[in-house]
Amino acid sequence: MARKTLVAVDGSPQSEAALAYALEEVPESAITALHVVQLPEGYWASFASSEAELPGYEQAQERGRTLLAEAVEAAAEGDREIQTAVVSGKPAREIVDYAVENDFDQIVIGSHGRHGIDRVLLGSVSEIVVRRAPMPVVVVHEQPDG
């Protein structure tokens, strides 16, 4: 049975590094690139009866599809095929839930490398995924040029 690897994709250099890592380091694994459309909370969410009614939702979905098409192209450059998916919600929760529900063996995610007060105030999706995921999680840092 082939191993399954989930790669979180958000368009950042860190997520691009995570995808590149997965494509290079786990060639035997079936890879799925996942984009999470983060839904607004609070004021706007209280007036919407569905996700589609939220301001900017359709544009965010389209951006996700574009990012995933770019991931498919990046994989094809290395003669690899990947699957893709777009889900909506809180990124860390959705990444872990998707991985569990679809029986992934591991998650590969980029780290934004926040430190100090930024990390405390903004949190870290990769940190939450590491703490909550029941499968191994590889956190990839973008390599500096040079």
Side-chain angles (χ1 to χ4, degrees):
M1 182 175 188
R3 291 183 51 82
K4 292 173 59 178
T5 300
L6 182 66
V7 180
V9 174
D10 67 5
S12 69
Q14 295 83 1
S15 76
E16 291 173 10
L19 179 61
Y21 174 90
L23 291 169
E24 184 174 320
E25 298 297 327
V26 288
E28 75 289 350
S29 187
I31 295 175
T32 298
L34 175 70
H35 178 75
V36 180
V37 174
Q38 187 167 354
L39 300 176
E41 298 178 18
Y43 182 79
W44 286 111
S46 65
F47 291 105
S49 60
S50 74
E51 293 173 351
E53 290 181 3
L54 293 168
Y57 179 76
E58 199 51 50
Q59 293 87 346
Q61 285 280 324
E62 183 58 35
R63 179 176 182 271
R65 288 188 291 270
T66 299
L67 291 172
L68 293 174
E70 292 169 1
V72 167
E73 287 177 22
E77 289 174 9
D79 292 326
R80 296 285 305 272
E81 291 184 15
I82 63 172
Q83 301 298 313
T84 63
V86 177
V87 296
S88 301
K90 292 184 176 185
R93 177 182 298 154
E94 294 301 326
I95 292 166
V96 173
D97 288 352
Y98 192 90
V100 169
E101 291 166 7
N102 293 281
D103 298 319
F104 281 89
D105 298 298
Q106 68 179 347
I107 299 170
V108 178
I109 189 167
S111 173
H112 287 272
R114 292 187 178 102
H115 300 287
I117 194 70
D118 282 346
R119 183 168 166 259
V120 171
L121 294 176
L122 299 174
S124 166
V125 171
S126 58
E127 180 182 3
I128 295 167
V129 169
V130 167
R131 282 191 280 123
R132 293 189 178 168
M135 69 281 295
V137 178
V138 177
V139 180
V140 178
H141 296 275
E142 177 190 19
Q143 296 299 314
D145 292 333

